[in-house]
Amino acid sequence: LPVSINAVGYGAFSGCQSLKKITINGKGSYKTADGILYTSDGKQLLCYPAGKEETEFTVPDKVQIIGTAAFYNAKTLEKVTFSNKLIRISDYAFYGCDMLNTMDLPDSLEWIGAYAFKPLFGTQTLQSVYIGPQLAYIGECAWGDDAIMSFDVSETNEHFKSDGAMLLDKSGTVLLRLGFAEEGKALVIPEGIATIMYGALNNNCNYTALDLPDSLITLDYQHYPESLTKIKVGAHLIRMDTVRIDDTV
């Protein structure tokens, strides 16, 4: 890239599957290191070329923001180590990183964007996802259809909580993401839940029935498993978005 470049749009290189290296010769608004594109101050990582063949990557200590679609379709990545200064993981940041199965989110993190870790094909099983004390926002369908066994939320986090199997807002009325659900059995959502957010049930588990509580008011769009044959609707449900399922329920 020419040193004179002064703007790089979101996801500018997201379709370049064979791209292995980005180079800028000279000092300007951007810089590169090991073929990766950063802002000149090193605080934003903008593009990790999808064609790089490494399986692990450590985010430099200076990086505070991982840009939109920065790691888009980096299919060989299995592990990313984040810096302790990271504040934001933007929308689609690791979209399509289908092999990524290890992500230790730092305590400094405040924002996870929509579809940030969504795989393009297939799913991963994550044993646990840590939610640190500063995290205040999680975008819709952040982990796609990955199976997450449990959530570990910092006791000092003011926005989220978990009973292990479910990630909830602090009030306990909004279900943001379901963790493990037993295969071949009914999935029972407990009383007290008023809203199930977009993609909250996208956990790659083959439950056969969904039992919704009377407290539920809003059920956003979900990707239900093909094994689902029955949905029991509660007494106060007002909105249920389109059901995506291959079999008839």
Side-chain angles (χ1 to χ4, degrees), residues 22-88:
I22 300 172
T23 302
I24 296 178
N25 295 316
K27 187 175 182 180
S29 299
Y30 302 95
K31 69 177 184 179
T32 55
D34 194 28
I36 301 165
L37 182 65
Y38 302 86
T39 52
S40 58
D41 59 8
K43 292 183 178 180
Q44 296 188 47
L45 190 161
L46 300 174
C47 180
Y48 177 99
K52 289 176 73 68
E53 298 177 352
E54 288 84 351
T55 59
E56 297 186 8
F57 177 71
T58 298
V59 177
D61 288 340
K62 278 189 175 182
V63 173
Q64 297 180 6
I65 297 172
I66 294 177
T68 299
F71 288 79
Y72 190 96
N73 265 4
K75 292 190 177 300
T76 64
L77 271 183
E78 298 177 11
K79 179 180 180 180
V80 174
T81 301
F82 297 105
S83 73
N84 290 323
K85 294 182 180 179
L86 187 66
I87 296 173
R88 180 182 180 119

Side-chain angles (χ1 to χ4, degrees), residues 105-109 128-136 138 150-164 166-170:
L105 303 177
D107 283 344
S108 58
L109 191 63
S128 180
V129 170
Y130 172 66
I131 305 297
Q134 303 300 321
L135 192 62
I138 300 174
S150 66
F151 290 92
D152 178 17
V153 180
S154 169
E155 292 182 359
T156 59
N157 188 291
E158 297 180 354
H159 304 279
F160 305 108
K161 68 179 184 178
S162 176
D163 64 354
M166 294 188 297
L167 179 62
L168 306 163
D169 76 328
K170 202 66 173 181

